[in-house]
Amino acid sequence: MSVEAELLWAEKYRPKTLDEMVNQEEIVSRLKQFVKTKNMPHCLFAGPPGTGKTTAAHCLARDLYGPEYHRWFLELNASDARGIEVIRTTVKEFARSIVPGPVPFKIIVLDEADNMTADAQQALRRLMEMYTSTCRFILIANYPSKIIEPIQSRTAFFRFTPLKPEDIIARLKWIAEQENVKYDEEAIKTIYEVSEGDLRRAINILQAASALGGRVTVEAVYKVIGRAHPKEIREMIRLALSGKFMEARNKLREVMINYGLSGLDVVKQIHREIFSSDMKLPEDLRVLIADYAGEVQFRLVEGADDEIQLSAFLARLALLGKKFRV
Amino acid sequence: MPEVPWIIKYRPKRVAEVVDQDEAKNEFIAWLNKWLVGKPDKKAALLHGPPGCGKTSLVEAAAREYKLELIEMNASDFRRKEDINRIAKVAATKASLFSRGKIILLDEVDGISATADKGALDAILDLINVTRHPIVLTANDPWDPKLKTLRENCKLIGFKRLPKKTVISVLRMICQREGLICEYAALDYIAERAEGDLRSAINDLQAVAATTKKITLDAVKAVVYSRYREYNPFEMLRKLFTSKYIWQAKSILSSSNLDYDMMMQWIAENLPNQYSDPEELWRAYEALARADQYMGRIIKTQSWDLLAYAMDMAAAVAVAQKKPTYKFVKYNFPQKIMLLAKTKEVREVRDALAKIIASHLHISSATAKSEVIPYLKVIFESNPKYAARIALGLNLTESMIKYLAGNRFKEVLNYLKKYRGTGGSTHRRSK
C-alpha cells in the first residue's frame, strides 16, 4: 500500500488561482482586471490575519505568469528579513536579473510590512521608485495605519474584510469532505467561534481535531484548543496576582524560552485571558490590566528586552493583586 | 530562609565589645552619664567618622548596657513631619514605660538634603531644644556647611578609621563562630579593600561564605574585587542597592565591567531578590523597563547620547524602596542566560522547524511558532501514524519530530521508516 505524504491543510487547500478564492469578491474582481490588462500598480493589501492577503498575492502571480510563477516572484517577510539592508540586497539582486516572461515586470511581496520601522519604510519607498520599471511591489499589512503616508499614496489600496461566518463554515465543511472526515455541525461552529475569523487558524484546528481520531466533535475541538493554548499564561497571571512574583516570572521564561513565544504573543494572550470568563476578576481590575497591557505592548516595540518589559508587567499585576485582594 | 545579616548578628552587646575607639567611647559615656545624673552642657551628641567604624554600634551597645530604650530614626524619615513630631513628643514628655530612660538616635544626618529637606534640619534643632532625653546624631562628614547650626548645638565626638589588624581580628572571630575555615590572606584581602569599614568587611565575608565554607583568597577574589578596580556583578549589585542617592548608583553602574545588556540582565534577575514588597518591586521594574526602552531606542537609532537617560533609569532601581532598610541579599547569576544556554539546541530545532512551516504557509517564523506549531504538536503527540505522513510531506528531521512528538517520538519514527520503505510518494512543492 502506497502512503500519501501529508501537508498542513492550510497549505494543501490554499486556493491556487483567483478563481478558486471563495471570498473577498470585490478584491478578486479588481485583481482579475490586472491579469486581463497584464499590468498592475504597486499594491497595499491590508486586513486581519487569515483573510487571504498572502494567498491573493500568490493567486494573482499564478494567474499572471502561470504555474511556474516563482521565477518572477519574490516573497519576503519583514519580520524575518532582518533590517532594510537585507531587503535592499535581496530586492536588488532579484530585480537586476532579467527573465523574459509573459508580463514585463516581476512581483515582490513584502509580508508583515507594518512591522518595519518608519526609517526602513522610507528606504523601502526609495526602493519602490528605483525599480518601478521592472518590479511591482505588493505590501501586506495587518494595520495599514502603520504604513507611512508616502507609501500609502503610491500604492493601490485593498482592504481585506474579516471572512463571513458562513464562508468559513462552508470552507471547513468542504475540506472535511475532501478528507473524508466526519464532523458534528456544532463542532464546525465552535471552530469558527474560537478562530476569531482567522481561516488559517480554523483550518489548523480542524486538522488537529481530526487527527485525534474519529469524528470531529465539540469535545475534540476544545481538547485541541486546550492543548494548543498552554495554561501557562493563565497560571502566570494567577501567580502574579497572588503576589508570587518569582513563580510567575519562571512561567514567563517557560513560555518565552520553551514555547518560543515572542513578548508580543505573551501580551496578546494575557489580554485575551483577562477578559475570559474563567478568570474571576473584578471588572475594574480587568480594565486596569488591559490598559497596562496596551502600554506594555507599545513599550515592547520600543524596548530592547522583552523579558524586562513583561517582568515589569508581572510586578504591576502583583501590586494590583494586592490592592484588589484577589 | 533569609539569613540574619552578620552585621546584626555580631553587633557588640556591650560598650567594651566595641572595637578600638577608646577615646570616643570615654567621651560618649561621660556625656551620657551627665545626662543620667542631671544636666549635660550639650543635650545632643554628634558622632562623626568614616563609615563602618562603630558609631551606631556604640550607641546601641550603650543603650543596652544602661537599659535605655533606643528610638531610632533614619535620614529619610526626617522628611516626614508627622514622624518628627511624634518623636519630638516622645522626646519632650513621657517617661519611658519599660526602662529607665531613652536614647533618641538620628542616623546619618549628613544624608539630609539642605535644599529639599530644609525643614528637617530645623525640626531636629527644635527636637534638641525640647528634649528631656539624650539625642545622638551620626554623620560621616560633620563639616558639611549645612550642618553648621546643628554642629554648634551638639557635643562633637570623633571616631577614627579602624586599622586593618582590627578588622582582620573581628573577621577571624566571626569565622570561628560560624565554623568557617579561613586563610589569613583571604581575610587580609577583605580587610585591605574595606579601608577601615568594618561593616562592609563583614558583608563581604558573608557574601563569600554564602558560596563556600572555605574562605580562601581565590574564593574572596571571585566574589569581591578591589575597590580600585571595576566592580564585579555581585559587588555592583550590592553597592547599587545600598546606594542612597542616584549619583552614587550611577557611579557604581559606570564602574562596572559588564556591558549594558548584561548589566540590565543582572539587575532584572535580582530585583525580586532585593525587593519583596510589591510596590517597591514594581517601582524598581518600572524604572528598569524605562531604561530598557531607552536602550531599545539607542540600538535602533544608534543615538548613544541617550545612554545617560538609560543609566539614570537603571540607577533608579536603587531608590525604589519606601524606607531604606538593610538586609543581606544573596544575588544570582541571570537565570535567563543559563536557561538560554541550556535550551539552545531545542530552540535551534524549533527555529528551523518554524522556518520550514513559514515557507510552506507563507507566514513569518514568529507566526509559525505561535499559530501553527502548537497545533502540529497536538497532532504529533496524539496520532503518530498521521504525524509520520506530515513529517514525510514537510520533510522534517528526526530532531524536529522529537521536538513535536515528545515521548511518542519513537512511534512516529517507526511509521516514518515503514513509509519510506514502501517508497511513499512525497509532495514536491511547485517551486
Side-chain angles (χ1 to χ4, degrees):
Chain A
M1 186 191 99
S2 155
V3 180
E4 190 70 13
E6 178 65 308
L7 288 172
L8 289 169
W9 293 351
E11 177 183 6
K12 196 171 170 185
Y13 296 105
R14 178 195 283 277
K16 305 268 185 304
T17 65
L18 289 171
D19 273 332
E20 284 177 37
M21 287 194 69
V22 289
N23 39 51
Q24 311 290 3
E25 292 87 356
E26 190 235 357
I27 288 171
V28 169
S29 75
R30 277 171 72 194
L31 295 179
K32 279 182 176 165
Q33 208 50 38
F34 296 161
V35 177
K36 215 164 144 192
T37 58
K38 288 189 184 299
N39 199 4
M40 63 176 277
H42 296 313
C43 298
L44 174 57
F45 290 1
T51 51
K53 299 181 295 297
T54 312
T55 299
H58 280 265
C59 291
L60 171 65
R62 195 193 156 99
D63 286 357
L64 274 170
Y65 308 103
E68 293 297 304
Y69 69 97
H70 283 101
R71 298 170 67 193
W72 300 277
F73 187 83
L74 174 70
E75 186 185 14
L76 293 169
N77 196 301
S79 304
D80 287 344
R82 285 182 198 286
I84 187 70
E85 261 321 303
V86 178
I87 292 174
R88 202 196 312 260
T89 26
T90 320
V91 166
K92 214 165 158 181
E93 264 166 39
F94 173 74
R96 219 176 16 205
S97 67
I98 296 161
V99 186
V103 282
F105 56 84
K106 301 175 183 179
I107 292 180
I108 296 169
V109 173
L110 199 52
D111 216 335
E112 304 195 11
D114 44 353
N115 282 348
M116 296 173 81
T117 61
D119 284 348
Q121 289 190 37
Q122 285 293 353
L124 176 66
R125 193 202 79 184
R126 284 193 290 279
L127 223 51
M128 291 168 75
E129 277 165 1
M130 212 184 299
Y131 296 108
T132 200
S133 58
T134 54
C135 295
R136 297 293 181 275
F137 282 80
I138 300 176
L139 306 187
I140 297 180
N142 290 142
Y143 306 102
S145 58
K146 286 209 250 167
I147 301 292
I148 58 170
E149 180 64 27
I151 288 186
Q152 289 201 35
S153 72
R154 279 170 177 76
T155 49
F157 186 72
F158 292 81
R159 182 180 293 281
F160 285 67
T161 49
L163 302 187
K164 291 193 276 295
E166 56 269 30
D167 285 346
I168 291 186
I169 289 170
R171 190 72 180 169
L172 292 174
K173 284 182 180 171
W174 178 76
I175 291 174
E177 273 143 31
Q178 302 297 307
E179 292 287 336
N180 283 322
V181 169
K182 304 263 179 299
Y183 58 86
D184 289 347
E185 202 66 38
E186 272 307 303
I188 300 292
K189 269 194 197 137
T190 307
I191 294 178
Y192 164 73
E193 277 157 22
V194 296
S195 67
E196 296 168 0
D198 180 339
L199 184 56
R200 177 171 49 235
R201 190 185 294 163
I203 295 173
N204 286 337
I205 296 170
L206 177 68
Q207 186 171 16
S210 75
L212 294 181
R215 200 179 176 85
V216 175
T217 58
V218 174
E219 229 185 330
V221 172
Y222 278 119
K223 208 166 162 188
V224 168
I225 301 296
R227 284 172 59 182
H229 291 284
K231 310 257 182 304
E232 272 82 355
I233 298 272
R234 184 171 300 176
E235 271 174 50
M236 179 182 81
I237 299 172
R238 289 222 168 100
L239 286 168
L241 283 172
S242 61
K244 298 190 176 103
F245 177 84
M246 280 291 205
E247 283 104 316
R249 190 172 70 172
N250 287 342
K251 282 274 175 245
L252 173 66
R253 286 177 170 160
E254 211 175 308
V255 294
M256 288 189 70
I257 296 175
N258 295 355
Y259 292 86
L261 294 191
S262 70
L264 222 52
D265 290 332
V266 176
V267 173
K268 285 178 180 169
Q269 288 196 29
I270 292 176
H271 185 230
R272 207 178 300 159
E273 285 292 339
I274 53 158
F275 286 108
S276 99
S277 54
D278 297 333
M279 291 286 276
K280 304 260 178 289
L281 297 175
E283 292 301 307
D284 44 350
L285 178 57
R286 288 187 212 261
V287 174
L288 283 175
I289 299 174
D291 185 26
Y292 203 71
E295 174 67 23
V296 171
Q297 184 170 339
F298 176 72
R299 288 182 188 180
L300 280 172
V301 180
E302 278 213 318
D305 188 289
D306 286 5
E307 194 195 286
I308 289 178
Q309 297 299 339
L310 286 162
S311 299
F313 194 174
L314 296 180
R316 176 75 179 172
L317 288 180
L319 183 59
L320 287 172
K322 191 184 165 203
K323 280 186 181 154
F324 279 79
R325 294 172 208 286
V326 290
Chain B
M1 40 148 243
E3 203 179 344
V4 183
W6 288 356
I7 57 156
I8 290 171
K9 191 170 172 187
Y10 292 107
R11 68 166 61 147
K13 308 278 186 297
R14 302 165 47 80
V15 174
E17 287 174 22
V18 177
V19 290
D20 280 358
Q21 314 292 9
D22 287 340
E23 210 173 307
K25 275 198 275 194
N26 290 339
E27 275 187 75
F28 179 71
I29 297 301
W31 170 79
L32 193 60
N33 273 325
K34 275 190 199 156
W35 252 112
L36 298 176
V37 296
K39 273 263 157 162
D41 2 315
K42 291 270 166 68
K43 292 165 87 177
L46 174 57
L47 313 189
H48 61 90
C53 65
K55 300 183 294 292
T56 311
S57 294
L58 176 59
V59 181
E60 286 171 346
R64 191 186 265 258
E65 204 167 321
Y66 286 77
K67 298 197 169 53
L68 301 169
E69 188 186 346
L70 187 66
I71 297 166
E72 272 186 272
M73 278 184 98
N74 227 303
S76 58
D77 298 332
F78 298 152
R79 284 165 207 174
R80 305 224 300 261
K81 194 89 188 155
E82 64 269 32
D83 278 344
I84 294 174
N85 289 340
R86 180 171 52 80
I87 294 283
K89 223 172 253 171
V90 172
T93 57
K94 291 178 207 133
S96 186
L97 269 177
F98 305 107
S99 50
R100 289 201 291 161
K102 299 181 173 82
I103 296 185
I104 293 157
L105 173 62
L106 306 181
D107 234 342
E108 301 169 22
V109 288
D110 44 357
I112 299 172
S113 157
T115 46
D117 315 312
K118 197 173 178 311
L121 289 169
D122 294 338
I124 294 172
L125 282 171
D126 287 347
L127 204 61
I128 294 174
N129 275 329
V130 299
T131 189
R132 289 200 199 159
H133 301 285
I135 292 184
V136 182
L137 314 174
T138 73
N140 292 141
D141 175 17
W143 313 114
D144 191 317
K146 73 187 175 206
L147 299 179
K148 183 168 179 287
T149 332
L150 215 50
R151 215 159 47 219
E152 286 160 1
N153 286 281
C154 292
K155 175 168 181 56
L156 293 186
I157 300 175
F159 283 63
K160 290 176 308 196
R161 185 180 292 280
L162 290 174
K164 193 166 93 178
K165 64 175 196 328
T166 307
V167 175
I168 293 176
S169 70
V170 174
L171 294 180
R172 186 181 276 161
M173 178 275 290
I174 293 176
C175 283
Q176 269 167 12
R177 302 255 288 266
E178 292 291 327
L180 299 167
I181 301 158
C182 62
E183 280 181 8
Y184 180 82
L187 301 188
D188 184 74
Y189 188 88
I190 295 176
E192 178 72 41
R193 62 171 294 291
E195 296 172 342
D197 182 345
L198 186 56
R199 179 170 38 214
S200 89
I202 295 174
N203 281 337
D204 283 350
L205 181 66
Q206 188 171 17
V208 179
T211 63
T212 170
K213 294 291 150 216
K214 276 195 193 134
I215 313 296
T216 62
L217 184 57
D218 287 342
V220 172
K221 280 187 175 168
V223 176
V224 286
Y225 276 58
S226 163
R227 203 165 267 171
Y228 303 110
R229 272 191 274 152
E230 294 169 321
Y231 296 133
N232 77 352
F234 295 100
E235 196 173 30
M236 175 196 82
L237 290 174
R238 203 144 37 76
K239 303 256 176 213
L240 175 67
F241 287 120
T242 50
S243 298
K244 291 198 188 66
Y245 312 104
I246 290 289
W247 65 263
Q248 274 180 323
K250 274 165 70 175
S251 87
I252 284 148
L253 290 183
S254 67
S255 38
S256 161
N257 52 4
L258 295 171
D259 65 41
Y260 298 113
D261 182 41
M262 276 305 280
M263 183 188 288
M264 301 283 285
Q265 296 303 332
W266 276 90
I267 297 173
E269 175 68 35
N270 288 293
L271 284 183
N273 294 331
Q274 184 69 35
Y275 298 117
S276 45
D277 177 83
E279 186 168 348
E280 293 178 351
L281 182 63
W282 175 65
R283 276 159 55 171
Y285 257 121
E286 191 68 7
L288 195 66
R290 291 293 297 163
D292 176 64
Q293 265 180 288
Y294 285 117
M295 290 311 296
R297 289 181 199 164
I298 291 169
I299 292 162
K300 274 170 202 137
T301 62
Q302 292 297 305
S303 336
W304 284 92
D305 49 340
L306 291 176
L307 188 62
Y309 304 105
M311 288 299 108
D312 286 350
M313 294 318 291
V317 303
V319 292
Q321 72 266 54
K322 291 184 264 183
K323 263 190 172 183
T325 45
Y326 181 80
K327 57 174 180 173
F328 181 77
V329 180
K330 199 176 158 194
Y331 297 115
N332 295 331
F333 185 88
Q335 299 298 304
K336 182 184 154 194
I337 311 268
M338 275 159 66
L339 216 56
L340 284 174
K342 222 186 289 174
T343 55
K344 185 163 177 278
E345 271 171 54
V346 178
R347 284 184 297 116
E348 277 169 2
V349 169
R350 187 187 61 216
D351 290 348
L353 173 64
K355 252 190 198 146
I356 291 180
I357 294 167
S359 86
H360 274 265
L361 295 185
H362 308 289
I363 53 181
S364 69
S365 295
T367 308
K369 279 184 220 166
S370 66
E371 282 292 324
V372 184
I373 289 183
Y375 299 107
L376 213 49
K377 261 179 122 69
V378 174
I379 294 173
F380 273 66
E381 285 164 359
S382 50
N383 193 337
K385 196 172 175 183
Y386 187 59
R389 288 178 56 200
I390 294 180
L392 204 59
L394 296 179
N395 220 346
L396 303 182
T397 66
E398 257 184 48
S399 47
M400 290 174 190
I401 296 170
K402 198 170 185 175
Y403 172 78
L404 287 169
N407 46 23
R408 301 198 75 174
F409 154 66
K410 282 262 152 58
E411 294 172 68
V412 181
L413 228 56
N414 284 340
Y415 279 115
L416 191 62
K417 266 182 207 144
K418 230 186 279 172
Y419 294 164
R420 285 218 169 108
T422 63
S425 68
T426 37
H427 267 289
R428 284 275 160 248
R429 302 195 56 223
S430 51
K431 197 164 181 173

